[in-house]
Amino acid sequence: MKGLSNKFTIVPTGGLDKVTSFISLMKGNKLNVVCLLDSFNNNKGKQRLENLIQSKIIKEKNMHFFDEFTEMEKADIEDMFKKEEFLKIFNET
């Protein structure tokens, strides 16, 4: 079974609201942080993202959204899987 390389660590932060705090905590460790977030379509989320970039908390090229990896206009993590795959993972959990 293929999986994520051991050189990556996934850390759920609880969404865009908490990304700033998390990155601020990790900054001293000189980590290469990349955020993968649910898509959003409101101005509040867009403004928060722009503030993170303008404050140089994270580089724009390091911000990604699930819809970039699907054919959907808006996407969440569960949209990364086929329905059958998601149900199998969900039921096993």
Side-chain angles (χ1 to χ4, degrees), residues 13-36:
T13 61
L16 185 58
D17 292 340
K18 297 180 179 96
V19 168
T20 305
S21 300
F22 176 77
I23 294 175
S24 297
L25 287 170
M26 298 281 102
K27 216 171 197 173
N29 295 321
K30 300 190 184 214
L31 299 174
N32 185 17
V33 177
V34 176
C35 292
L36 180 58

Side-chain angles (χ1 to χ4, degrees), residues 22-85:
F22 176 77
I23 294 175
S24 297
L25 287 170
M26 298 281 102
K27 216 171 197 173
N29 295 321
K30 300 190 184 214
L31 299 174
N32 185 17
V33 177
V34 176
C35 292
L36 180 58
L37 301 165
D38 294 346
S39 305
F40 59 86
N41 63 351
N42 62 39
N43 289 332
K44 189 176 179 183
K46 187 175 182 178
Q47 185 60 52
R48 281 195 183 125
L49 175 60
E50 288 173 5
N51 290 344
L52 289 174
I53 294 165
Q54 288 176 359
S55 300
K56 298 187 180 193
I57 292 172
I58 191 165
K59 296 176 184 172
E60 186 171 8
K61 69 177 186 167
N62 289 9
M63 297 294 293
H64 296 280
F65 298 89
F66 288 112
D67 61 72
E68 294 175 41
F69 307 98
T70 69
E71 295 180 8
M72 303 174 81
E73 191 173 313
K74 292 191 301 183
D76 299 329
I77 190 167
E78 56 271 12
D79 297 315
M80 299 296 293
F81 303 93
K82 293 179 184 171
K83 183 177 179 180
E84 299 78 26
E85 292 173 325

